[in-house]
Amino acid sequence: MKKAGNCDLNTCFLCQYSIPEWIAAVSDHRQHLFFKKNETIFQEGSPVKGIFFLYDGKVKVHKQWGPDKELIVRFAQQGDILGHRGLGSGERLYTVSATAIEDTTVCYTELAFFEASLKVNPSLSLKLMQFYADELQEAERKMRNLVHMDVKSRLADALLELSRLHKALHFTISRQDLASFSGTTYETIYRNLQEFIAEKLITVEGRAITILSEKKLRKYIA
Amino acid sequence: MKKAGNCDLNTCFLCQYSIPEWIAAVSDHRQHLFFKKNETIFQEGSPVKGIFFLYDGKVKVHKQWGPDKELIVRFAQQGDILGHRGLGSGERLYTVSATAIEDTTVCYTELAFFEASLKVNPSLSLKLMQFYADELQEAERKMRNLVHMDVKSRLADALLELSRLHKALHFTISRQDLASFSGTTYETIYRNLQEFIAEKLITVEGRAITILSEKKLRKYIA
DNA sequence: GCAAAAATATGATCTAAATCATATTAAAAC
DNA sequence: GTTTTAATATGATTTAGATCATATTTTTGC
């Protein structure tokens, strides 16, 4: 991790929903950080010192289980806030890890500054609250899916979610990450991908996946 | 559902974190509702008109799956807010159902009034945000448990959670609800309860469960 | 550029937990 | 207070998906 070039003060969650007068303060208090692919941005269990905003790149937000198992709870996109789970009432420890899955630039602000920003910018608070509500809904939907849907349906859901995030029918992801995101194992993902390929719902070249029929994929979810 | 006696304007999430000057307004805008055991307070998929606060009784917050499967995401306690997931950015539909599991009194306020309350009471907004952060953390922890822990461990987790909520080692819950809360089926819960009884970690009399060894139960989770 | 590590491919085996089936008991409704 | 309905008890059967094993390919660190 090293410092990186400046962000445009216009892209991230913080800048987008702060009043114009506050942007100068943001500019003073932000810090740019660069993470290479596979570098850890923050680690589950370590103390929360600040909040991150993804300026460029891709990040997976995940929970560890033992030495070699994980669950990916979210893929963060440009502009997204990272580390906000630490704002809860308990001890201030990150409850998830964040890892760059490609070279990534983030803006960082100390917790105190972010909390000041919330006080100064009502619409930032409001948006953050909405964001929490949305994430909570999504987490609970996923919980229900884990309990009641089979792997193939969860994989279909994951593929559609990834397509939505990338705003494209084509995207790149490792099978391992796809497994961790679908709440299953590599082997099971491998087999189910084969099935989707055979059914001509997707094509796969290495890590690149292309959705051929969003519609048919969606049928697996309902 | 029918009207019920007045609340004390001191118990619920809304009153607790509103400034004293606002309480009169709350008093004017609240409505008391009474729900008998098994009555639905609100239904997943129906439009959000307002927010509820649990004054007395017990409520399960659950997601439906098909005609006869569900997942209980939370048991609400006295003072708790209900319906707040509706505050997200999407369409204003409840994403969960809430059902009284014993005779229950709730306070109800229309959405507009609650949103006004948020604007007037910064500490209410702050608390709500913390509450969201906490719920999100918990939901993601449960997701991880669903993926990586076996049923027995999840049952242990559920029992300890129920004990925490009731602030007692003794509580009452149907096996069906315990299954829906642990993300499994009635039969599997039945068998695992038998095992815990055999191991002398709990005793069971009808729907009443008593935890004998919190410590040993906790070992199943780590 | 090469060695080591990680990710992928794919079959074989195993097992936890779902489903099915049926009896019994308890609770709620009329 | 009896009928209907829902919850509980418990064994038998099935199955989805995890785990294991091993070969191959790809990526990454030095």
Side-chain angles (χ1 to χ4, degrees), chain B residues 73-126:
Chain B
V73 298
R74 175 174 165 239
F75 288 104
Q77 302 298 116
Q78 195 180 60
D80 281 355
I81 186 170
L82 289 166
H84 54 293
R85 284 164 189 76
L87 297 170
S89 58
E91 343 157 56
R92 291 269 160 105
L93 301 179
Y94 291 112
T95 56
V96 294
S97 301
T99 304
I101 52 174
E102 48 183 70
D103 290 0
T104 289
T105 307
V106 300
C107 241
Y108 171 83
T109 84
E110 293 195 2
L111 200 53
F113 178 74
F114 184 70
E115 283 173 332
S117 298
L118 285 176
K119 290 217 178 79
V120 173
N121 300 282
S123 83
L124 180 67
S125 301
L126 186 69

Side-chain angles (χ1 to χ4, degrees), chain B residues 2-12 15 26-34 53-56 78 105-108:
Chain B
K2 58 168 192 183
K3 305 242 171 153
N6 285 358
C7 85
D8 61 6
L9 289 169
N10 194 34
T11 303
C12 77
C15 294
V26 172
S27 178
D28 282 355
H29 287 270
R30 78 187 154 160
Q31 212 181 318
H32 292 95
L33 304 171
F34 177 80
F53 300 91
L54 181 50
Y55 185 58
D56 191 53
Q78 195 180 60
T105 307
V106 300
C107 241
Y108 171 83

Side-chain angles (χ1 to χ4, degrees), chain B residues 166-196:
Chain B
H166 288 260
K167 303 186 208 309
L169 293 172
H170 182 88
F171 50 86
T172 298
I173 186 174
S174 80
R175 254 134 266 210
Q176 207 64 251
D177 279 351
L178 203 44
S180 299
F181 190 48
S182 306
T184 182
T185 58
Y186 165 80
E187 293 93 325
T188 301
I189 283 296
Y190 165 75
R191 289 179 236 282
N192 283 94
L193 278 180
Q194 295 303 315
E195 288 189 40
F196 279 145

